[in-house]
Amino acid sequence: MDSETPIVNGTAATEAPAQVMDYTLDFPALEAPAAGPTTSALSRPALSHPRPPPTSNWGARPGADVKTKFVLDADERSLKGKSFGPNTDEQQRAGKVSKETGTRIELSEARDGTLTVIISGPKAKVEEARAKVIRELQTQATREVSIAKEFHRNLIGKGGDALKALEVETNTKINIPNRDTPSDVIKITGPREGMERAAAHIQRVAAEQAKLATEHIAAARIYYPWVRGPNNELIDSLTGQFNIKINIPPPVSNNEIIMITGEREGVLTAAAKIRAIVAEKEAIAKSLTVSINRAQHRYIIGKQRSGIAEILRSTGVSVEMPEVDTASDVITLRGDPARLGDALTQVYARASSTITAQSKVALWMHRLLIGPKGATLSSLVPNRAKVDIDFDDSGDIFYEGAPEEVNAAKAAIEAEVARLTKECAMETVKVHPTLHRHVIGRGGALVSKLKEEHGVTINIPDEATNSDEITVEGKKEGVKKAIEEIRALVTKIENEKSKDLIIEQRLHKLIIGQGGKAINELRKQFPSVNFSFPDVNKKSEIINVRGDRKEVDDAAKALQKIAKDLAESNYQESVPIFKEFYKHIVGKGGSNIKKIREETGTRIDMPDESSEEERIAVTGKKANVEKAIALLQKMQSELASVVTVEIEIPVKVQARMIGGGRRVLFDIEKECGGVYIKFPAEKSESTKVTINGPKEDVEKAQKVLLDLAKDREANFAEDTVKAKPEFHRFIIGKGGARINKIKAAGNVRIMFPREADADKESIHLLGTKDEVVRAKAELETIIKQLNESVEIKMEVDAKYHVHFKRVGAQLLKEIQDQNGNVVISFPGKAAEDQRTVTIKGIKQCCESAKARIEEIVDDMDHQTTIHVEIPSVHHRALLSNRGQRVQELQSKYNVRIRFPRRDAGPAEGEEAAPADDQVAISGRDSACEKAAEDLKALVPISKVIAVPIDAHRFLIGRGGETIRKIMQDNDVNINVPKDEAQSEEITVSGSVDAVDGALEDIKAKLKEYEEQAEDRKLRQWSMTINIPAEYHQKIIGIKGVVVNELRKKHDVNISLPKGEEKTDEIVVQGYEDKARACAAEIEAMVEAIRSLVVQEIVLAAACHPRIIGARGKNVRKIMEDYNVEIRFPRSEGADPDLVTVSGKEENQVLDCCDYLKSLEEDFLAEYSEKNQFLSRRVAPEAKPAAAAKVEIRGAPWQLDISSAAEFPDMGAAQAAAPVVAAGAWGAARRF
């Protein structure tokens, strides 16, 4: 091995060839100043104090944003040659500026004495540092400039802003004398160049201000009208011609000085003209006063003072009106005495050119006089533009205008008022406020119909006034008929009947049906009846049936039948089961409960887990429910020691204990640990009461029940009432309504005879003494009324008898059922009197049945058939949905509507015959006409609305949800063109009202879309901020926590560079104010990160897991204790032992580093003890390559020092300079 070959770790290193570098190419000299030599002198590049590189991505200062360079000549350097050594005065001052501004400053001195200064850093700081360096290092001079003191304020500017800006721009200090100082000399101190620029600017401002002038003219206020001219014409002419400003004091000001400002020549010319006008008027103007009624003053003034201006223009006389807040009516005229008479004539002419008049008219006539959109008033007063007519709320009409126009308008209107008084009327009808909504009708249909039929106006007072007066205005005949109809309607409403039915609340939902289907069917059957169900949150069992007296009873009967059927198939009973057994009863996967449901055909509902209820509800047919309950109780008995005890309670006491919906029993069950108490059936004579549950709870419940029964027995009463068996069903009422009402009034049980009883007339009453007496009295009253049967006769034309007897006398039976099962007898065919019909039964029922028969006969007397022409193409639409809308019309008006058969239509290519368009309506004449109008209103029409194409998708909605809802709500069809059609026209088809409603909904949706589009546009605003890439991870945070919090807080979208994107730009998008606030917060975060103290320490990688701890527990504790952040190396290329500690306080960071070092020492000591006897296999290390040699040629230190060409003689004065002593490179001068 060659002895010169270096040995590295015992292995010979391979010698690499030397790399040759040319000093003049690889280390070029600094750019020479423009004024100095470029090649003859040797530049002295500056050396900077070494600054360690950033220890991590966090806490390090980013690279300079901008860089600036300037050169100071040798004669401009104020500190040249004043100090020696490596730290000259220039270096010290530059270092001070660098620290103050946070910038990097480099100084380089050339042989000719010029000094090159390079400053780098943030832009704002660089400008500040440049100004300070120039003031510190450049020779300062002082110059004085004499400027008139009135121009000083223009140089200073508002708040001194102009002066400060000039000082910054020129790097000078400008001293302006105080206003109290007589001197006008301004001193400028600073570099020569900046001083000259500042002086030039000051002189330029002074020259510009010297061209301006201001004039003040003292003139009495009475001469201002001539100074201004008519409509300010003279002032506007002067300001426009000479580009000046003329300020005339306002009338409310006490100042009488006219001020003119602007260019000197124009100001002087204008001032001369104004002074001449004032002097002329002072010499010749005289005044004249005249008294004119104050009400006429506004006619003299005219609109925007045009009247006064016109008088001034034509006569040269000014008209001075009295102040508004005074009561004076004196007007003053000023001007040439020869023209005062002409001006006075014009004043009188204007004052008398307009008059006012007034008419007393009833307030209700105003609308008729005005007419639709003012048409009537325009026809009465053709010259409407020449006279102002005002209709006052007090009823008066005011006129204003020329005398002839006012008189003509007043005469025409009063003539019309006389005609209206003769032909029209306004009357009031008293209707209770609660009935107003019935007069209005659904959607205002009824009141609109009255208005259209009779040509009247109906005013219904607001609900808030609680007034009972409805006013009707219009033709006298129409008013009379409208009031009659309103009174008839109110009478009809007052005759409505209301009935309450008691039906178990659990059945209400079943009666209503899914989506209200079942109750809607009942409403179709009885269209004039309203069914009101109690709120689901209220525990009420009362259903109210209200409507026409003739239909309410039938509707109640039908409802009770439905409830009875539902009750039979939905019998419900609850069984007490202790909660701890629920899981066993349900079984694995619900197997046990499913088996019971299948075997018994019942529905078994378990209580909610959060509920305290310990009862399981079983619903179904009664026998099946009992079977299911037995199975459930059997399962519970097998799972626990449940006992059953029977106690004796008298039957007469049981009713009192069960009453009130078992509420008392439920309280006892809950009090005694959830036992189950079962009483005998209602009509049973058994006295045994069963108690089921745990032994101790059963004993407790037994005692409570016996004590309660003893107390109830002491207050017990019993009585009977006699009634014929045929009266029993009338006493009970339909569905038990009447008897239940008696029971509900108090705690009393009423029991009717059973089939097995021998006594069929005795009705038993059980309860407290007072309640039994009350119930007995009510029953006796009902029985007394039932005993009062009557027989009445009525005459019915024989031709109508068959109508009552057809189809098995169905109509006759219906009348009998509706009216207390009265007996109605029509005469037989052999009877002599074929017109007399006999009705037997209860008096009230007989009278009701008679009224119903008379109503039916009257309808048949007025039966007619009309034909309505409706194009056959619309028949299918009218009969859609199984003819539901047509059936509703038939039910509403009690008519029959027949459409022509479809199979009788025309052949293809032929037009439909007129008969094919005829729809027949049969029924009462008045009802047929109303049905025909409603049927025509149902004929579909089509309208087109333009909707922008980009809004179609929004209108359709997700899955067509939005447009489907509009179609369903308005019962229309909407056709949206396909995308390829590129059409904005959307077609809406349906009835007139429905189409109009759908169009309004579409317009509302379009407005909503436009508002959302505008909001989206505002949210698209974005801004870009430059944040060095090393801070991006900090902004993102762990798993994006920080950036997501920023997005949520400011409601913006933040986009950071992804993947391999090499950019510092972060885009913030959202509302402008929120985006700016978010950007400011991000920049504040970065500034806070930059201010952190960062320290790197080397810790053995082996001890890192111990410091971190399980799931980072240990390191989080350390970071919380020292208020620092600790980062371990992650990337593969990083030093595995390097740990970074950063924080706000330097002491905390250093203390944390010391603590981490101590943890490392403890770990290494422990590790050494555990592994001191273990031998390790040392793998041979790879042979490192020998360090490459570098050969530099042409460097300054390789020059011949003795050569005069390379190192010329600089003279005696230069020999002692510290530059040579510091070496060829000079001292380090980078800050």
Side-chain angles (χ1 to χ4, degrees), residues 322-399:
E323 296 293 337
V324 178
D325 54 354
T326 65
S328 173
D329 58 1
V330 176
I331 299 175
T332 304
L333 283 71
R334 291 190 179 87
D336 188 348
R339 301 305 303 273
L340 286 176
D342 296 340
L344 183 61
T345 301
Q346 292 190 27
V347 168
Y348 276 123
R350 286 186 172 275
S352 60
S353 63
T354 305
I355 65 170
T356 60
Q358 179 180 354
S359 297
K360 290 282 186 180
V361 180
L363 187 62
W364 65 271
M365 286 189 182
H366 287 190
R367 180 184 58 81
L368 301 175
L369 292 172
I370 296 171
K373 297 184 180 179
T376 305
L377 185 61
S378 298
S379 64
L380 292 173
V381 186
N383 297 329
R384 180 73 178 81
K386 296 182 179 180
V387 58
D388 291 332
I389 303 175
D390 182 24
F391 291 83
D392 193 70
D393 291 341
S394 63
D396 294 341
I397 301 177
F398 296 95
Y399 311 88

Side-chain angles (χ1 to χ4, degrees), residues 53-72:
T55 56
S56 71
N57 290 337
W58 307 106
R61 179 180 299 281
D65 295 326
V66 296
K67 181 183 289 186
T68 186
K69 166 188 163 186
F70 61 92
V71 179
L72 299 179

Side-chain angles (χ1 to χ4, degrees), residues 790-807:
V790 296
E791 179 180 322
I792 62 176
K793 294 182 179 182
M794 62 180 298
E795 290 188 355
V796 177
D797 198 323
K799 64 181 179 181
Y800 299 130
H801 290 190
V802 67
H803 180 70
F804 291 93
K805 297 178 180 179
R806 67 171 53 160
V807 194

Side-chain angles (χ1 to χ4, degrees), residues 639-805:
L639 292 169
S641 58
V642 177
V643 298
T644 302
V645 174
E646 291 183 352
I647 60 176
E648 296 285 338
I649 295 180
V651 175
K652 61 182 181 179
V653 180
Q654 291 179 17
R656 298 183 180 185
M657 300 180 68
I658 299 174
R662 288 180 56 93
R663 183 173 180 178
V664 175
L665 297 183
F666 285 148
D667 290 341
I668 296 173
E669 289 173 346
K670 186 176 180 181
E671 180 185 348
C672 300
V675 298
Y676 176 60
I677 303 172
K678 183 177 180 182
F679 275 73
E682 186 175 354
K683 294 184 179 181
S684 173
E685 297 296 333
S686 175
T687 59
K688 292 183 178 180
V689 177
T690 305
I691 307 173
N692 188 24
K695 185 177 180 181
E696 294 181 358
D697 294 334
V698 168
E699 293 175 353
K700 182 179 179 182
Q702 180 180 357
K703 182 178 183 303
V704 172
L705 280 174
L706 291 174
D707 291 343
L708 182 62
K710 185 178 180 181
D711 179 63
R712 291 293 175 96
E713 189 173 5
N715 299 319
F716 181 75
E718 182 176 0
D719 205 342
T720 59
V721 176
K722 296 285 186 177
K724 297 178 182 179
E726 56 267 28
F727 290 167
H728 288 183
R729 59 195 182 99
F730 296 109
I731 297 172
I732 295 172
K734 293 181 180 179
R738 177 177 286 181
I739 200 68
N740 287 337
K741 190 174 182 181
I742 297 173
K743 290 180 180 180
N747 188 12
V748 63
R749 171 179 281 189
I750 303 173
M751 296 175 289
F752 286 83
R754 295 172 294 184
E755 294 182 2
D757 293 340
D759 186 358
K760 300 292 185 181
E761 295 186 352
S762 296
I763 302 173
H764 295 267
L765 291 81
L766 302 176
T768 61
K769 184 177 180 180
D770 294 339
E771 294 298 333
V772 167
V773 171
R774 178 194 59 78
K776 182 177 180 181
E778 292 186 17
L779 289 174
E780 288 176 343
T781 302
I782 295 172
I783 294 167
K784 183 179 179 181
Q785 293 175 355
L786 292 173
N787 285 322
E788 295 176 355
S789 294
V790 296
E791 179 180 322
I792 62 176
K793 294 182 179 182
M794 62 180 298
E795 290 188 355
V796 177
D797 198 323
K799 64 181 179 181
Y800 299 130
H801 290 190
V802 67
H803 180 70
F804 291 93
K805 297 178 180 179

